[in-house]
Amino acid sequence: MHTTHDEVNLGLRVVGRKAGADGVVVLELADRFGAPLPAWSPGAHIDVRMPGDLVRQYSLCGDPANGSVWRIGVFREPDGRGGSAFVHDQVRVGDYLDIRGPRNNFELLPATRYVFIAGGIGVTPLLPMARTARRAGSAWEFHYGGRSRTSMAFVDDLDALQLENDHLARVSLYPQDEVGLIDLDSILAPPRPGTLIYCCGPEALLEAVERCCAQWPAGTLHVERFAPKDAGEPVFSGTFEVELAASGVTLKVPPDKSILEVVREAGIMVPFSCQEGTCGTCETPVLEGAIDHRDSLLSPEEQAENDTMFVCVSRAACPRVVLDL
């Protein structure tokens, strides 16, 4: 079963801002009255609401043990839709941001050994994972690639986690202009028992890691995507029915609309954000029916359980499904 944390809406004050690397700004957020912030676990992210109805998701990259401050790293997307530009150009210390969360679709599971693979700003969700693995006494290695050394954020944090003479930890940096791409073949071959692999970064990196992990046991690899993967053509191309068990209504979903659109048009409010199947906001329990999972969040094993779906992109794989809405 895919799990999420209970979410809250918060107005948090920006108490710190600094350049994290070329094109990366790091913000620290705290309660305006100094109250403790909600607990979170490695892999969690928050929604940041911005002017113009923009909502963007950013991974919490600080220390989960620090209950007073949240930290996010924001990469300026050259071809973005305005969210990162707003953070870089307008957000200053003392400003207040409208926050929703935390939510975790990228949970760190217990293991005796971890391999973390990060590309660019994909380092952010993996950094607290490495910190947690170290505290748990697990062996871990961290492979971090970027365009150049100056574009790679949080390198000092990783160096601090790898203590001198610490044989349980290894941090390897791969500035592309110096050493080329991460050598995935040597890192991921052969499969090793008791190891979990966590990866976040550009789609090309994720696809390469997925290919290299094809021979690893099912459930070994966990990835988080920035952008939706190609889901191909729908399994069921016609109109299907969605019964909303809690609301007592049945709706028809045509091929050119999502379940989310149809449900909201019927006046039933479902929280949503990305509408791309990457943020997890619209996760909905499935009571009956086969689902065409078109999100970029659930693992193949979680999809096979067929007990949850993301209604912004996923569809029915049969004429009728029943949802707990």
Side-chain angles (χ1 to χ4, degrees):
M1 178 69 177
H2 210 56
T3 59
T4 59
H5 289 309
D6 291 335
E7 299 171 35
V8 295
N9 292 295
L10 301 166
L12 298 186
R13 186 172 184 265
V14 180
V15 296
R17 175 191 163 110
K18 66 178 183 179
D22 291 348
V24 177
V25 66
V26 180
L27 300 182
E28 292 186 336
L29 310 172
D31 182 85
R32 66 184 71 195
F33 302 114
L37 297 176
W40 61 280
S41 56
H45 69 262
I46 56 174
D47 294 345
V48 180
R49 296 175 177 172
M50 306 175 188
D53 294 326
L54 290 176
V55 180
R56 294 294 180 265
Q57 290 75 40
Y58 299 107
S59 296
L60 292 172
C61 57
D63 187 347
N66 184 346
S68 61
V69 175
W70 284 350
R71 182 174 68 167
I72 59 174
V74 181
F75 171 65
R76 186 177 195 125
E77 295 282 356
D79 302 317
R81 295 173 289 177
S84 63
F86 169 76
V87 173
H88 277 253
D89 297 341
Q90 300 187 45
V91 175
R92 297 291 181 265
V93 171
D95 290 348
Y96 288 91
L97 294 177
D98 188 9
I99 305 295
R100 181 173 63 195
R103 183 185 310 113
N104 201 335
N105 302 299
F106 194 39
E107 290 274 9
L108 182 69
L109 301 177
T112 56
R113 189 171 183 277
Y114 296 97
V115 177
F116 302 114
I117 303 173
I121 200 62
V123 68
T124 51
L126 302 183
L127 183 58
M129 292 186 180
R131 186 175 286 111
T132 299
R134 179 186 161 201
R135 285 179 177 151
S138 300
W140 58 276
E141 57 189 80
F142 203 114
H143 302 274
Y144 179 18
R147 297 185 311 278
S148 64
R149 196 171 293 271
T150 58
S151 73
M152 298 169 67
F154 305 114
V155 170
D156 290 344
D157 292 68
L158 285 169
D159 287 342
L161 283 175
Q162 184 180 243
L163 300 178
E164 186 176 358
N165 299 321
D166 185 355
H167 302 297
L168 292 176
R170 178 164 65 94
V171 175
S172 300
L173 303 180
Y174 304 81
Q176 189 173 345
D177 61 349
E178 296 178 25
V179 301
L181 299 176
I182 300 174
D183 186 1
L184 297 175
D185 289 332
S186 64
I187 295 168
L188 298 175
R192 287 164 284 180
T195 299
L196 291 182
I197 302 165
Y198 283 80
C199 180
C200 183
E203 186 62 24
L205 172 64
L206 300 184
E207 291 179 351
V209 169
E210 287 172 338
R211 287 194 297 272
C212 290
C213 289
Q215 303 306 313
W216 285 70
T220 296
L221 176 61
H222 302 263
V223 303
E224 183 167 66
R225 285 178 151 81
F226 296 148
K229 61 185 178 183
D230 183 4
E233 292 298 316
V235 172
F236 186 81
S237 58
T239 297
F240 58 88
E241 290 187 346
V242 175
E243 179 183 339
L244 308 181
S247 302
V249 299
T250 298
L251 305 172
K252 292 185 182 296
V253 181
D256 62 342
K257 288 189 175 182
S258 68
I259 295 176
L260 176 65
E261 289 175 297
V262 171
V263 168
R264 289 182 65 87
E265 287 172 1
I268 298 167
M269 292 298 100
V270 179
F272 69 97
S273 179
C274 72
Q275 300 186 71
E276 295 180 331
T278 57
C279 76
T281 307
C282 67
E283 184 168 11
T284 301
V286 177
L287 302 179
E288 293 180 28
I291 303 302
D292 176 12
H293 293 284
R294 307 176 64 78
D295 63 90
S296 301
L297 290 163
L298 296 176
S299 68
E301 293 78 18
E302 289 170 326
Q303 291 181 354
E305 291 175 2
N306 212 52
D307 58 7
T308 192
M309 73 180 300
F310 299 95
V311 293
C312 67
V313 292
S314 294
R315 305 183 67 81
C318 59
R320 180 183 178 89
V321 294
V322 182
L323 305 181
D324 188 11
L325 278 176

